Amino acid sequence: MTALLQILFDALSLGSLYALAAIGIALIFGVMRLVNFAHGDYISFCVFALLWPSIEATAFVFAGQLPPYLLIPVILTVGACLSMLSEILVFRRFRNANPATMMIASFALGFVIKYTLLMLFSSRPKSIDLWPSLSLPVEIFDARIPLLQVITIVITIVILIALVAFLKRTRFGLEMRAAAENFTMARMLGVRANAVILLAFAISGMLAASIGLILVTQTGTVDIQMGSSVMLVAFIATVIGGLGSLPGAVVAGFLIGGVSVLMQVILPFDIRPFRDAFVYGAVIAVLIWRPNGLFMPRSAKQRV
Amino acid sequence: MTLLTIDAITVNYGRLIALRNASLTLSQGETLFITGPNGAGKSTLLKAIAGVVVPKAGTIRFAGLEIGGWAPEDIARRGFSMVPEGRHVFGSLTIEENLRLGVGMRVDKDAAERDLEHIYSVFPMLEERRHQAAGVLSGGQQQMLVIGRALMANPQLIAIDEPSLGLAPKVIDDVYAVLLKLRDTRGLTLLIVEQSSARATMTGGRMLLLRGGEIVLEGDARELTRSDALKAAYFGYGEQH
Ligand SMILES: Nc1ncnc2c1ncn2[C@@H]1O[C@H](COP(=O)(O)OP(=O)(O)OP(=O)(O)O)[C@@H](O)[C@H]1O
Ligand SMILES: [Mg+2]
């Protein structure tokens, strides 16, 4: 029972990260038909924003010293600004370009961000102890669960609820859903394209920042690669969920998290290092079974 | 008062010229029908006004401003409502959400609520199913929805691309009754694309015939249909072979 609970929390907290990242990608894809491969680098960037630029091996903590009630808004703002800037400076110019061109542009932007970080901080991972008290375990039905896992799951649930409320209850949310389904028609009804897209980027950037904060607290390290691995899984999750479908992205994010943790447990010990081969094997199987993903959004069908 | 002036616009899709040197003017409260065979450029003309396609040459003035090159949302916000061909309901949004999308640019929220009630009174079916996803509606119901949605913006000019397509005659009557009433009470200006001239003859108003991307005939709808000029121009009779 306690082992089961532990697995459950492992799966949910890993799935949370993937789900948050997948929504960030699906949101942008919804309004722009852009798969933003720079998203992972937004995550890294937000994490590095905790530090002063320096190529030393030791970390000079900067924003990371702020109390949480300041630190969290600051990092969220960093994420939102970076994401909105990339829309204004880069993606806006590709608005009418074909999807492949936009995707390449996002790859290029990702590299620009990555190498900027590399220049400022060097490639050495640095350790940082953000909120050490969160790694203490809490007892839930005799199982010792790291507090951070519980918080990750709770935060994800809160973010999901807030996002649903935003999409369903606000004017901007309504416009965003309409734009995701048929952008040209939405514009003909007076929906401001630039505002909706910018807002989607802002939300996506804040999601990236949240992931960054969770990751850095979990691992205690700051590393240029840390965003990329999440991004890859999140991208797969958005495809499995049905590109552009937000519920699909969430479900698929949790699914991949769950399967990964499950494989880790049930695979024979010798094979465990090759777990990812099994996870991605399952991905291929799902895509053969449902090439358009588990949930195909309406927008995939019609476009003016 | 002149509401819309189109002066010698030309629209290309790549190398294909869809509209050549087209000009027209439209006064407030007027009804203008655009008719013509398939591929004549009727939809292209509406899309050019809406800002969805940008003319290669020529100017468009709407409500006193030169709108050439404006974004579709800015043109909509000046009071131009467009119902494009192919309906385009937001299938995942509810019927009411679809209707409310049209009011985003309005400041007179009370009047917008009254307009919503009005749309519901004309199309009671929409009210009954207001909280259902619009995707479940039949084609005819979707057509009512998109026309209702366009009216929710309280436009000065509404352009509708083939409103009769796929609708039962009774529903077509209803739709036209709503439009004509708004024209007469609020001075709504109507720009309607119809393949056939039958409606134009019934309703009256001006008519314009497009063929091969050019405006080949223009005049009073009833007079044009009475004479043989329309038929001749529609099919291209009487020209050098
Ligand atoms: N997006 C597009 N890309 C390329 N060519 C187009 C496009 N849209 C229309 N065309 C072409 O432009 C010409 C005019 O098309 P348009 O849709 O304006 O005609 P229409 O009069 O509305 O026809 P219909 O009665 O069939 O609706 C046609 O030859 C059409 O094939
Ligand atoms: Mg047409």
Side-chain angles (χ1 to χ4, degrees):
Chain A
M1 173 65 194
T2 57
L4 211 62
L5 214 56
Q6 181 63 56
I7 293 169
L8 183 69
F9 272 88
D10 280 349
L12 283 177
S13 62
L14 187 62
S16 291
L17 278 185
Y18 294 159
L20 290 180
I23 303 177
I25 293 162
L27 260 180
I28 301 297
F29 185 85
V31 294
M32 267 191 99
R33 299 295 176 271
L34 158 72
V35 177
N36 186 7
F37 279 98
H39 195 78
D41 301 293
Y42 297 170
I43 297 176
S44 310
F45 188 93
C46 290
V47 172
F48 275 95
L50 296 166
L51 309 178
W52 266 121
S54 105
I55 52 170
E56 309 285 318
T58 45
F60 292 90
V61 182
F62 168 46
Q65 281 172 335
L66 295 169
Y69 60 88
L70 282 180
L71 174 66
I72 293 171
V74 165
I75 298 299
L76 289 181
T77 310
V78 167
C81 288
L82 176 66
S83 180
M84 289 194 293
L85 263 182
S86 58
E87 142 67 3
I88 293 168
L89 296 180
V90 181
F91 295 125
R92 187 164 292 184
R93 338 253 147 193
F94 297 95
R95 200 64 72 76
N96 297 316
N98 70 51
T101 309
M102 286 207 282
M103 202 171 79
I104 301 292
S106 82
F107 262 120
L109 175 68
F111 278 113
V112 170
I113 296 175
K114 201 175 280 154
Y115 280 93
T116 306
L117 292 176
L118 208 63
M119 224 152 54
L120 295 174
F121 295 93
S122 90
S123 62
R124 269 177 290 193
K126 306 175 188 208
S127 59
I128 172 174
D129 223 1
L130 192 67
W131 304 324
S133 56
L134 293 188
S135 40
L136 297 176
V138 288
E139 298 237 340
I140 300 176
F141 298 114
D142 290 341
R144 291 164 69 81
I145 312 288
L147 182 56
L148 182 64
Q149 280 194 351
V150 181
I151 290 181
T152 302
I153 296 164
V154 171
I155 287 177
T156 304
I157 292 170
V158 170
I159 291 176
L160 291 181
I161 291 173
L163 202 61
V164 170
F166 164 76
L167 287 171
K168 294 272 180 192
R169 298 259 176 269
T170 69
R171 176 80 210 165
F172 258 127
L174 175 63
E175 293 187 350
M176 201 172 283
R177 281 184 292 142
E181 191 171 325
N182 184 336
F183 213 119
T184 309
M185 188 63 237
R187 296 182 76 180
M188 285 194 271
L189 292 168
V191 170
R192 290 200 163 103
N194 285 345
V196 168
I197 289 178
L198 205 57
L199 189 63
F201 269 95
I203 297 174
S204 175
M206 287 195 277
L207 288 168
S210 321
I211 296 165
L213 282 174
I214 295 171
L215 272 182
V216 77
T217 318
Q218 229 170 43
T219 59
T221 51
V222 174
D223 177 4
I224 285 177
Q225 298 302 334
M226 64 197 299
S228 318
S229 48
V230 179
M231 167 63 207
L232 179 63
V233 179
F235 172 56
I236 291 168
T238 50
V239 173
I240 287 189
L243 256 177
S245 160
L246 295 182
V250 174
V251 171
F254 277 107
L255 216 59
I256 296 183
V259 169
S260 302
V261 171
L262 205 65
M263 296 274 187
Q264 186 70 30
V265 177
I266 59 173
L267 285 180
F269 189 79
D270 295 340
I271 313 184
R272 270 182 211 171
F274 312 107
R275 178 195 69 176
D276 284 355
F278 292 86
V279 174
Y280 293 116
V283 166
I284 293 173
V286 168
L287 289 179
I288 290 172
W289 171 52
R290 300 284 296 256
N292 287 319
L294 300 174
F295 305 76
M296 182 164 75
R298 243 168 241 288
S299 49
K301 282 177 254 161
Q302 48 162 266
R303 198 83 175 132
V304 171
Chain B
M1 192 194 81
T2 309
L3 185 60
L4 178 73
T5 312
I6 296 179
D7 189 25
I9 59 166
T10 297
V11 177
N12 298 28
Y13 295 108
R15 284 166 66 192
L16 179 102
I17 301 176
L19 206 58
R20 194 194 309 265
N21 222 8
S23 303
L24 66 87
T25 60
L26 197 51
S27 305
Q28 166 117 42
E30 209 187 354
T31 307
L32 175 63
F33 283 92
I34 296 172
T35 176
N38 285 102
K42 307 182 293 292
S43 302
T44 301
L45 178 60
L46 295 201
K47 284 182 194 160
I49 306 170
V52 176
V53 297
V54 180
K56 198 178 114 183
T59 57
I60 304 176
R61 283 182 78 81
F62 173 62
L65 288 170
E66 180 108 24
I67 58 166
W70 281 27
E73 57 266 40
D74 294 328
I75 296 170
R77 283 164 179 269
R78 288 293 302 176
F80 175 69
S81 246
M82 164 91 156
V83 181
E85 63 186 332
R87 305 203 174 105
H88 304 296
V89 303
F90 298 99
S92 63
L93 273 53
T94 67
I95 288 164
E96 186 148 318
E97 283 173 336
N98 265 276
L99 290 170
R100 284 192 188 282
L101 253 186
V103 305
M105 46 193 133
R106 290 175 69 169
V107 280
D108 51 340
K109 297 295 174 202
D110 294 343
E113 285 306 311
R114 280 199 297 282
D115 286 352
L116 183 64
E117 293 313 315
H118 178 234
I119 303 285
Y120 279 149
S121 70
V122 193
F123 304 119
M125 173 277 316
L126 293 181
E127 181 168 28
E128 281 162 31
R129 312 176 72 169
R130 65 205 284 178
H131 296 303
Q132 291 180 23
V136 305
L137 296 177
S138 72
Q141 293 167 334
Q142 293 192 0
Q143 187 71 286
M144 293 179 223
L145 177 58
V146 291
I147 290 172
R149 185 175 68 189
L151 290 172
M152 284 299 292
N154 190 24
Q156 288 182 274
L157 169 60
I158 185 169
I160 313 180
D161 205 339
E162 310 210 24
S164 309
L165 202 70
L167 291 195
K170 161 81 177 72
V171 182
I172 302 179
D173 289 342
D174 287 350
V175 167
Y176 270 94
V178 178
L179 294 173
L180 295 178
K181 186 170 160 228
L182 287 173
R183 179 192 66 183
D184 297 336
T185 56
R186 286 193 198 167
L188 175 66
T189 310
L190 306 176
L191 179 55
I192 301 174
V193 169
E194 289 279 17
Q195 282 253 2
S196 92
S197 59
R199 249 317 133 169
T201 323
M202 278 164 70
T203 312
R206 240 175 356 122
M207 188 158 76
L208 185 153
L209 180 77
L210 265 176
R211 193 158 51 78
E214 290 181 75
I215 297 175
V216 290
L217 199 63
E218 193 185 342
D220 180 79
R222 290 194 178 113
E223 277 173 25
L224 282 184
T225 24
R226 214 173 305 135
S227 71
D228 280 338
L230 181 71
K231 212 178 281 169
Y234 200 110
F235 296 109
Y237 301 155
E239 289 179 4
Q240 302 88 332
H241 296 278

